Amino acid sequence: EPVMMQTSDPGYAAWRQRAREAGVTAALAVPIRAQGRVVAVLTVLSRFGNPFDIAHIERFDRIAVRLAGAASRLTGSPASESRGSGGRWTATGVDVRAALDEGRVEPWWQPQVTLDGRIVAVEALVRVRDHDGSILTPAAILPAAEELGLMGVLGQTVRRRAIEEAGPWLAGGLERVCLNVSVAELLNPGFVAELEDLVGLNELRPDQVELELVETAPVDAAALRLLSRLSLLGFRLAVDDYGSGWASLGHLARVPARALKIDRVFIRDITTSERTRALVSSTCELGHALDLTTVAEGVETVDQAGMLRDMGCDLLQGFLFSPPTDRAGMEAMLRGEGTEQWPLFGAASTPR
């Protein structure tokens, strides 16, 4: 499992001295596994606070799986131990192929909420319902799908089910459904046609679908052409996880986005770090200057939400309102069940 250097660990004092000399404030070690053993370690260093929350740890763990796969292709050895026949089981123990075949891949939902408590959008997040009824999260699903070469099929399945489920909500007044998409998926042949077919079959408008650009690599010229085409067709584009990885000013300069999602690592520290508050405030100002809807991810406390209101953030998303929930839970929220307990933060600006 990924490991962070803790103050109680043996050798911490020596590490802290070397880290200070190098300007390092936090370190994360992620094992790269092949053939059931650790063959290398991906070491990630930070020079700004400690950004390694669970979402970032899961992201680097997925990168380690991809590195193991690349190494196996170069060496001709398997990336990890497999169980059963046909290479269906992966190192994470998730049979993604069976889950796809049996219809156990589901979209779960998290609302995006205005400052006065209205749900205007919902984000679809992948889940797998195991045979025993337990729910598997992306931390287990995505590495397994990557290892089996099923990321494309998985993405198509989540998008289809999400748009089918959200169709009645959109007809009832919900503004849009948000779908995660990577550059690799954009470049798959037929991606644009797939989206157009889904919108047409479900009698939706393209602007009711927002594609959140999730990145572990830069956007190249081919991807930019596809993004421009999607924008011209009317689909909304959002830069996800702004402030981390490749989601930076370079994206905003080139991608025809209409929304900007501020990474949860900044929201987490907004109440304790003046530097972080300045960064988030300037990001909200930048978003408004570019006529982008600003969305804060990972909002968990009333204090965080209050600060974001004062900064002019348009939409809030996080456990303060709801963790990801299944279709029934989302429908209950859209009916207003439980939302009367949500904290309100004054009149919202009109989401762009």
Side-chain angles (χ1 to χ4, degrees), residues 232-349:
L232 288 172
L233 289 171
F235 292 97
R236 289 175 57 99
L237 302 176
V239 172
D240 198 15
D241 296 332
Y242 182 78
S244 69
W246 294 98
S248 62
L249 283 172
H251 271 53
L252 295 185
R254 298 183 297 162
V255 174
R258 296 179 62 185
L260 173 62
K261 300 195 72 177
I262 306 169
D263 192 277
R264 68 184 63 244
V265 69
F266 298 105
I267 306 306
R268 182 195 64 192
D269 295 337
I270 197 174
T271 60
T272 58
S273 167
E274 291 185 10
R275 185 182 295 265
T276 299
R277 284 196 292 275
L279 287 169
V280 174
S281 180
S282 64
T283 299
C284 290
E285 292 176 5
L286 175 63
H288 294 159
L290 296 175
D291 198 28
L292 302 174
T293 300
T294 53
V295 185
E297 299 182 285
V299 180
E300 297 185 356
T301 71
V302 170
D303 287 345
Q304 290 171 344
M307 286 187 174
L308 289 162
R309 171 203 58 199
D310 295 341
M311 295 174 184
C313 188
D314 295 305
L315 299 176
L316 310 177
Q317 178 178 346
F319 278 46
L320 178 62
F321 303 99
S322 174
T325 185
D326 61 9
R327 179 178 185 172
M330 192 67 248
E331 288 179 340
M333 273 188 279
L334 290 170
R335 292 193 299 268
E337 297 176 19
T339 62
E340 67 277 0
Q341 304 299 321
W342 287 356
L344 303 181
F345 300 96
S349 56

Side-chain angles (χ1 to χ4, degrees), residues 56-71:
H56 282 76
I57 291 173
E58 290 173 354
R59 179 184 302 167
F60 287 120
D61 207 16
R62 293 196 295 271
I63 292 172
V65 171
R66 286 193 283 272
L67 290 173

Side-chain angles (χ1 to χ4, degrees), residues 21 32 64 88-89 91-93 100 118 125 160 222 231 248 251 274 304 319 325:
E21 292 171 356
I32 299 175
R88 298 171 65 91
W89 287 93
T92 63
L100 288 163
R118 293 182 298 113
L125 303 161
R160 175 181 56 78
S231 179
S248 62
H251 271 53
E274 291 185 10
Q304 290 171 344
F319 278 46
T325 185

